[in-house]
PDB file of all heavy atoms in Angstrom:
ATOM      1  N   SER A  66      -4.247  -2.068  -7.613  1.00 98.00           N
ATOM      2  CA  SER A  66      -3.977  -1.025  -8.616  1.00 98.00           C
ATOM      3  C   SER A  66      -4.926  -1.033  -9.798  1.00 98.00           C
ATOM      4  O   SER A  66      -5.432  -0.060 -10.136  1.00 98.00           O
ATOM      5  CB  SER A  66      -2.493  -1.200  -9.085  1.00 98.00           C
ATOM      6  OG  SER A  66      -2.168  -0.122 -10.024  1.00 98.00           O
ATOM      7  N   LYS A  67      -5.171  -2.307 -10.234  1.00 98.00           N
ATOM      8  CA  LYS A  67      -6.028  -2.417 -11.315  1.00 98.00           C
ATOM      9  C   LYS A  67      -7.482  -1.956 -11.013  1.00 98.00           C
ATOM     10  O   LYS A  67      -8.147  -1.209 -11.760  1.00 98.00           O
ATOM     11  CB  LYS A  67      -6.128  -3.868 -11.806  1.00 98.00           C
ATOM     12  CG  LYS A  67      -7.062  -4.175 -13.016  1.00 98.00           C
ATOM     13  CD  LYS A  67      -6.961  -5.598 -13.418  1.00 98.00           C
ATOM     14  CE  LYS A  67      -7.825  -5.812 -14.586  1.00 98.00           C
ATOM     15  NZ  LYS A  67      -7.746  -7.327 -15.034  1.00 98.00           N
ATOM     16  N   GLU A  68      -7.880  -2.275  -9.770  1.00 97.00           N
ATOM     17  CA  GLU A  68      -9.284  -1.787  -9.416  1.00 97.00           C
ATOM     18  C   GLU A  68      -9.311  -0.358  -9.126  1.00 97.00           C
ATOM     19  O   GLU A  68     -10.221   0.446  -9.524  1.00 97.00           O
ATOM     20  CB  GLU A  68      -9.695  -2.623  -8.159  1.00 97.00           C
ATOM     21  CG  GLU A  68     -11.085  -2.312  -7.737  1.00 97.00           C
ATOM     22  CD  GLU A  68     -11.565  -3.149  -6.601  1.00 97.00           C
ATOM     23  OE1 GLU A  68     -10.938  -4.175  -6.368  1.00 97.00           O
ATOM     24  OE2 GLU A  68     -12.627  -2.830  -5.957  1.00 97.00           O
ATOM     25  N   ALA A  69      -8.339   0.186  -8.375  1.00 98.00           N
ATOM     26  CA  ALA A  69      -8.156   1.648  -7.976  1.00 98.00           C
ATOM     27  C   ALA A  69      -8.139   2.552  -9.219  1.00 98.00           C
ATOM     28  O   ALA A  69      -8.658   3.657  -9.140  1.00 98.00           O
ATOM     29  CB  ALA A  69      -7.083   1.908  -7.055  1.00 98.00           C
ATOM     30  N   LYS A  70      -7.523   2.103 -10.328  1.00 97.00           N
ATOM     31  CA  LYS A  70      -7.250   2.967 -11.420  1.00 97.00           C
ATOM     32  C   LYS A  70      -8.569   3.327 -12.044  1.00 97.00           C
ATOM     33  O   LYS A  70      -8.738   4.403 -12.666  1.00 97.00           O
ATOM     34  CB  LYS A  70      -6.450   2.079 -12.444  1.00 97.00           C
ATOM     35  CG  LYS A  70      -6.080   2.935 -13.723  1.00 97.00           C
ATOM     36  CD  LYS A  70      -5.400   1.912 -14.696  1.00 97.00           C
ATOM     37  CE  LYS A  70      -5.112   2.734 -16.022  1.00 97.00           C
ATOM     38  NZ  LYS A  70      -4.392   1.861 -17.064  1.00 97.00           N
ATOM     39  N   GLU A  71      -9.671   2.445 -11.968  1.00 96.00           N
ATOM     40  CA  GLU A  71     -10.989   2.748 -12.575  1.00 96.00           C
ATOM     41  C   GLU A  71     -11.881   3.548 -11.725  1.00 96.00           C
ATOM     42  O   GLU A  71     -12.916   3.959 -12.070  1.00 96.00           O
ATOM     43  CB  GLU A  71     -11.652   1.453 -12.880  1.00 96.00           C
ATOM     44  CG  GLU A  71     -10.779   0.474 -13.674  1.00 96.00           C
ATOM     45  CD  GLU A  71     -10.336   1.070 -14.968  1.00 96.00           C
ATOM     46  OE1 GLU A  71     -11.269   1.790 -15.651  1.00 96.00           O
ATOM     47  OE2 GLU A  71      -9.194   0.767 -15.484  1.00 96.00           O
ATOM     48  N   LYS A  72     -11.312   4.030 -10.526  1.00 96.00           N
ATOM     49  CA  LYS A  72     -12.241   4.734  -9.649  1.00 96.00           C
ATOM     50  C   LYS A  72     -11.641   6.178  -9.373  1.00 96.00           C
ATOM     51  O   LYS A  72     -10.487   6.261  -9.264  1.00 96.00           O
ATOM     52  CB  LYS A  72     -12.475   4.050  -8.295  1.00 96.00           C
ATOM     53  CG  LYS A  72     -13.067   2.660  -8.367  1.00 96.00           C
ATOM     54  CD  LYS A  72     -13.180   1.983  -7.088  1.00 96.00           C
ATOM     55  CE  LYS A  72     -13.828   0.635  -7.151  1.00 96.00           C
ATOM     56  NZ  LYS A  72     -13.884  -0.067  -5.870  1.00 96.00           N
ATOM     57  N   ASP A  73     -12.554   7.115  -9.229  1.00 95.00           N
ATOM     58  CA  ASP A  73     -12.087   8.532  -8.854  1.00 95.00           C
ATOM     59  C   ASP A  73     -11.989   8.603  -7.430  1.00 95.00           C
ATOM     60  O   ASP A  73     -12.864   9.396  -6.779  1.00 95.00           O
ATOM     61  CB  ASP A  73     -13.015   9.524  -9.568  1.00 95.00           C
ATOM     62  CG  ASP A  73     -12.501  10.917  -9.478  1.00 95.00           C
ATOM     63  OD1 ASP A  73     -11.348  11.108  -9.236  1.00 95.00           O
ATOM     64  OD2 ASP A  73     -13.367  11.817  -9.551  1.00 95.00           O
ATOM     65  N   GLU A  74     -11.146   8.030  -6.780  1.00 97.00           N
ATOM     66  CA  GLU A  74     -10.942   7.931  -5.337  1.00 97.00           C
ATOM     67  C   GLU A  74      -9.461   8.211  -4.937  1.00 97.00           C
ATOM     68  O   GLU A  74      -8.575   7.726  -5.704  1.00 97.00           O
ATOM     69  CB  GLU A  74     -11.497   6.649  -4.753  1.00 97.00           C
ATOM     70  CG  GLU A  74     -12.969   6.472  -5.077  1.00 97.00           C
ATOM     71  CD  GLU A  74     -13.543   5.116  -4.632  1.00 97.00           C
ATOM     72  OE1 GLU A  74     -12.631   4.226  -4.179  1.00 97.00           O
ATOM     73  OE2 GLU A  74     -14.740   4.828  -4.777  1.00 97.00           O
ATOM     74  N   VAL A  75      -9.312   8.616  -3.692  1.00 97.00           N
ATOM     75  CA  VAL A  75      -7.983   8.829  -3.159  1.00 97.00           C
ATOM     76  C   VAL A  75      -7.686   7.747  -2.169  1.00 97.00           C
ATOM     77  O   VAL A  75      -8.518   7.645  -1.158  1.00 97.00           O
ATOM     78  CB  VAL A  75      -7.743  10.173  -2.547  1.00 97.00           C
ATOM     79  CG1 VAL A  75      -6.252  10.249  -1.976  1.00 97.00           C
ATOM     80  CG2 VAL A  75      -7.973  11.313  -3.511  1.00 97.00           C
ATOM     81  N   ASN A  76      -6.763   6.884  -2.258  1.00 98.00           N
ATOM     82  CA  ASN A  76      -6.447   5.882  -1.269  1.00 98.00           C
ATOM     83  C   ASN A  76      -5.276   6.251  -0.389  1.00 98.00           C
ATOM     84  O   ASN A  76      -4.277   6.868  -0.882  1.00 98.00           O
ATOM     85  CB  ASN A  76      -6.161   4.464  -1.947  1.00 98.00           C
ATOM     86  CG  ASN A  76      -7.337   4.119  -2.871  1.00 98.00           C
ATOM     87  OD1 ASN A  76      -8.188   3.493  -2.286  1.00 98.00           O
ATOM     88  ND2 ASN A  76      -7.210   4.358  -4.155  1.00 98.00           N
ATOM     89  N   ILE A  77      -5.399   6.002   0.852  1.00 98.00           N
ATOM     90  CA  ILE A  77      -4.343   6.338   1.900  1.00 98.00           C
ATOM     91  C   ILE A  77      -3.892   5.155   2.582  1.00 98.00           C
ATOM     92  O   ILE A  77      -4.678   4.474   3.255  1.00 98.00           O
ATOM     93  CB  ILE A  77      -4.813   7.404   2.902  1.00 98.00           C
ATOM     94  CG1 ILE A  77      -5.326   8.650   2.135  1.00 98.00           C
ATOM     95  CG2 ILE A  77      -3.674   7.855   3.798  1.00 98.00           C
ATOM     96  CD1 ILE A  77      -6.281   9.546   2.925  1.00 98.00           C
ATOM     97  N   PHE A  78      -2.607   4.796   2.412  1.00 98.00           N
ATOM     98  CA  PHE A  78      -2.041   3.614   3.080  1.00 98.00           C
ATOM     99  C   PHE A  78      -1.129   4.133   4.285  1.00 98.00           C
ATOM    100  O   PHE A  78      -0.336   4.965   4.047  1.00 98.00           O
ATOM    101  CB  PHE A  78      -1.183   2.853   2.161  1.00 98.00           C
ATOM    102  CG  PHE A  78      -1.880   2.051   1.161  1.00 98.00           C
ATOM    103  CD1 PHE A  78      -3.323   2.093   1.001  1.00 98.00           C
ATOM    104  CD2 PHE A  78      -1.117   1.150   0.223  1.00 98.00           C
ATOM    105  CE1 PHE A  78      -3.867   1.289   0.007  1.00 98.00           C
ATOM    106  CE2 PHE A  78      -1.765   0.412  -0.624  1.00 98.00           C
ATOM    107  CZ  PHE A  78      -3.144   0.546  -0.812  1.00 98.00           C
ATOM    108  N   GLU A  79      -1.278   3.516   5.428  1.00 97.00           N
ATOM    109  CA  GLU A  79      -0.456   3.822   6.631  1.00 97.00           C
ATOM    110  C   GLU A  79       0.440   2.587   6.808  1.00 97.00           C
ATOM    111  O   GLU A  79       0.083   1.560   6.972  1.00 97.00           O
ATOM    112  CB  GLU A  79      -1.275   4.049   7.869  1.00 97.00           C
ATOM    113  CG  GLU A  79      -0.392   4.262   9.079  1.00 97.00           C
ATOM    114  CD  GLU A  79      -1.185   4.028  10.316  1.00 97.00           C
ATOM    115  OE1 GLU A  79      -2.358   3.810  10.384  1.00 97.00           O
ATOM    116  OE2 GLU A  79      -0.410   4.066  11.433  1.00 97.00           O
ATOM    117  N   CYS A  80       1.779   2.871   6.673  1.00 96.00           N
ATOM    118  CA  CYS A  80       2.854   1.919   6.875  1.00 96.00           C
ATOM    119  C   CYS A  80       2.822   0.583   6.175  1.00 96.00           C
ATOM    120  O   CYS A  80       3.551  -0.276   6.459  1.00 96.00           O
ATOM    121  CB  CYS A  80       2.950   1.703   8.468  1.00 96.00           C
ATOM    122  SG  CYS A  80       1.711   0.534   9.112  1.00 96.00           S
ATOM    123  N   ALA A  81       2.148   0.561   5.022  1.00 97.00           N
ATOM    124  CA  ALA A  81       1.998  -0.778   4.327  1.00 97.00           C
ATOM    125  C   ALA A  81       3.322  -0.948   3.364  1.00 97.00           C
ATOM    126  O   ALA A  81       3.719  -2.120   3.154  1.00 97.00           O
ATOM    127  CB  ALA A  81       0.812  -0.862   3.366  1.00 97.00           C
ATOM    128  N   LEU A  82       3.876   0.155   2.916  1.00 97.00           N
ATOM    129  CA  LEU A  82       4.923  -0.068   1.979  1.00 97.00           C
ATOM    130  C   LEU A  82       6.304  -0.162   2.646  1.00 97.00           C
ATOM    131  O   LEU A  82       7.104  -1.109   2.261  1.00 97.00           O
ATOM    132  CB  LEU A  82       4.981   1.202   1.068  1.00 97.00           C
ATOM    133  CG  LEU A  82       6.207   1.114   0.008  1.00 97.00           C
ATOM    134  CD1 LEU A  82       5.787   0.026  -1.073  1.00 97.00           C
ATOM    135  CD2 LEU A  82       6.220   2.483  -0.725  1.00 97.00           C
ATOM    136  N   LEU A  83       6.640   0.635   3.575  1.00 98.00           N
ATOM    137  CA  LEU A  83       7.933   0.561   4.133  1.00 98.00           C
ATOM    138  C   LEU A  83       8.035  -0.149   5.531  1.00 98.00           C
ATOM    139  O   LEU A  83       8.725  -1.072   5.713  1.00 98.00           O
ATOM    140  CB  LEU A  83       8.509   2.001   4.374  1.00 98.00           C
ATOM    141  CG  LEU A  83       8.989   2.712   3.088  1.00 98.00           C
ATOM    142  CD1 LEU A  83       9.486   4.125   3.376  1.00 98.00           C
ATOM    143  CD2 LEU A  83      10.057   1.967   2.432  1.00 98.00           C
ATOM    144  N   GLN A  84       7.330   0.315   6.529  1.00 97.00           N
ATOM    145  CA  GLN A  84       7.402  -0.204   7.777  1.00 97.00           C
ATOM    146  C   GLN A  84       7.186  -1.788   7.813  1.00 97.00           C
ATOM    147  O   GLN A  84       8.009  -2.556   8.331  1.00 97.00           O
ATOM    148  CB  GLN A  84       6.332   0.297   8.811  1.00 97.00           C
ATOM    149  CG  GLN A  84       6.303  -0.366  10.166  1.00 97.00           C
ATOM    150  CD  GLN A  84       5.252   0.355  11.122  1.00 97.00           C
ATOM    151  OE1 GLN A  84       5.430   1.472  11.538  1.00 97.00           O
ATOM    152  NE2 GLN A  84       4.267  -0.446  11.396  1.00 97.00           N
ATOM    153  N   ASN A  85       6.082  -2.242   7.143  1.00 97.00           N
ATOM    154  CA  ASN A  85       5.850  -3.654   7.231  1.00 97.00           C
ATOM    155  C   ASN A  85       6.798  -4.432   6.375  1.00 97.00           C
ATOM    156  O   ASN A  85       7.209  -5.553   6.798  1.00 97.00           O
ATOM    157  CB  ASN A  85       4.393  -3.868   6.731  1.00 97.00           C
ATOM    158  CG  ASN A  85       3.294  -3.302   7.753  1.00 97.00           C
ATOM    159  OD1 ASN A  85       3.646  -2.900   8.802  1.00 97.00           O
ATOM    160  ND2 ASN A  85       2.012  -3.225   7.261  1.00 97.00           N
ATOM    161  N   GLN A  86       7.141  -3.865   5.263  1.00 97.00           N
ATOM    162  CA  GLN A  86       8.081  -4.694   4.272  1.00 97.00           C
ATOM    163  C   GLN A  86       9.471  -4.696   4.897  1.00 97.00           C
ATOM    164  O   GLN A  86      10.113  -5.746   4.900  1.00 97.00           O
ATOM    165  CB  GLN A  86       8.021  -4.100   2.958  1.00 97.00           C
ATOM    166  CG  GLN A  86       6.622  -4.017   2.362  1.00 97.00           C
ATOM    167  CD  GLN A  86       5.914  -5.393   2.343  1.00 97.00           C
ATOM    168  OE1 GLN A  86       6.499  -6.431   2.023  1.00 97.00           O
ATOM    169  NE2 GLN A  86       4.631  -5.362   2.775  1.00 97.00           N
ATOM    170  N   VAL A  87       9.955  -3.526   5.327  1.00 98.00           N
ATOM    171  CA  VAL A  87      11.333  -3.489   5.745  1.00 98.00           C
ATOM    172  C   VAL A  87      11.446  -4.284   7.014  1.00 98.00           C
ATOM    173  O   VAL A  87      12.479  -5.061   7.242  1.00 98.00           O
ATOM    174  CB  VAL A  87      11.739  -2.003   6.013  1.00 98.00           C
ATOM    175  CG1 VAL A  87      13.133  -1.950   6.754  1.00 98.00           C
ATOM    176  CG2 VAL A  87      11.826  -1.212   4.692  1.00 98.00           C
ATOM    177  N   SER A  88      10.616  -4.142   7.934  1.00 98.00           N
ATOM    178  CA  SER A  88      10.556  -5.028   9.124  1.00 98.00           C
ATOM    179  C   SER A  88      10.637  -6.496   8.838  1.00 98.00           C
ATOM    180  O   SER A  88      11.388  -7.282   9.465  1.00 98.00           O
ATOM    181  CB  SER A  88       9.392  -4.741  10.005  1.00 98.00           C
ATOM    182  OG  SER A  88       9.349  -3.463  10.593  1.00 98.00           O
ATOM    183  N   GLU A  89       9.823  -6.996   7.898  1.00 98.00           N
ATOM    184  CA  GLU A  89       9.785  -8.351   7.546  1.00 98.00           C
ATOM    185  C   GLU A  89      11.121  -8.836   6.974  1.00 98.00           C
ATOM    186  O   GLU A  89      11.685  -9.897   7.321  1.00 98.00           O
ATOM    187  CB  GLU A  89       8.648  -8.715   6.650  1.00 98.00           C
ATOM    188  CG  GLU A  89       8.523 -10.111   6.138  1.00 98.00           C
ATOM    189  CD  GLU A  89       8.068 -11.133   7.267  1.00 98.00           C
ATOM    190  OE1 GLU A  89       7.509 -10.653   8.348  1.00 98.00           O
ATOM    191  OE2 GLU A  89       8.168 -12.345   7.034  1.00 98.00           O
ATOM    192  N   LEU A  90      11.516  -8.144   5.959  1.00 98.00           N
ATOM    193  CA  LEU A  90      12.743  -8.505   5.219  1.00 98.00           C
ATOM    194  C   LEU A  90      14.010  -8.343   5.981  1.00 98.00           C
ATOM    195  O   LEU A  90      14.907  -9.119   5.937  1.00 98.00           O
ATOM    196  CB  LEU A  90      12.794  -7.772   3.868  1.00 98.00           C
ATOM    197  CG  LEU A  90      12.174  -8.500   2.737  1.00 98.00           C
ATOM    198  CD1 LEU A  90      10.626  -8.540   2.927  1.00 98.00           C
ATOM    199  CD2 LEU A  90      12.409  -7.836   1.368  1.00 98.00           C
ATOM    200  N   MET A  91      14.145  -7.336   6.794  1.00 98.00           N
ATOM    201  CA  MET A  91      15.239  -7.040   7.579  1.00 98.00           C
ATOM    202  C   MET A  91      15.418  -8.001   8.752  1.00 98.00           C
ATOM    203  O   MET A  91      16.449  -8.604   9.019  1.00 98.00           O
ATOM    204  CB  MET A  91      15.181  -5.560   8.108  1.00 98.00           C
ATOM    205  CG  MET A  91      16.347  -5.120   9.098  1.00 98.00           C
ATOM    206  SD  MET A  91      16.116  -3.403   9.615  1.00 98.00           S
ATOM    207  CE  MET A  91      16.528  -3.558  11.386  1.00 98.00           C
ATOM    208  N   LEU A  92      14.245  -8.130   9.511  1.00 98.00           N
ATOM    209  CA  LEU A  92      14.304  -8.913  10.755  1.00 98.00           C
ATOM    210  C   LEU A  92      14.232 -10.367  10.531  1.00 98.00           C
ATOM    211  O   LEU A  92      14.662 -11.192  11.417  1.00 98.00           O
ATOM    212  CB  LEU A  92      13.220  -8.485  11.586  1.00 98.00           C
ATOM    213  CG  LEU A  92      13.280  -6.919  12.055  1.00 98.00           C
ATOM    214  CD1 LEU A  92      12.148  -6.686  13.013  1.00 98.00           C
ATOM    215  CD2 LEU A  92      14.642  -6.696  12.730  1.00 98.00           C
TER     216      LEU A  92
END
């Protein structure tokens, strides 16, 4: 976040927030 804030760029994350985290914590 700190690095991306300084750049004029769009970042696209596939499944990093929900799929990976929910699978790890749930299973």
Side-chain angles (χ1 to χ4, degrees):
S66 182
K67 183 177 181 181
E68 183 175 346
K70 181 183 177 182
E71 304 304 319
K72 298 178 181 179
D73 189 20
E74 300 173 354
V75 181
N76 299 280
I77 303 164
F78 285 5
E79 178 200 353
C80 75
L82 180 68
L83 287 179
Q84 175 179 292
N85 295 347
Q86 303 306 316
V87 172
S88 294
E89 180 70 13
L90 271 66
M91 174 180 138
L92 299 180

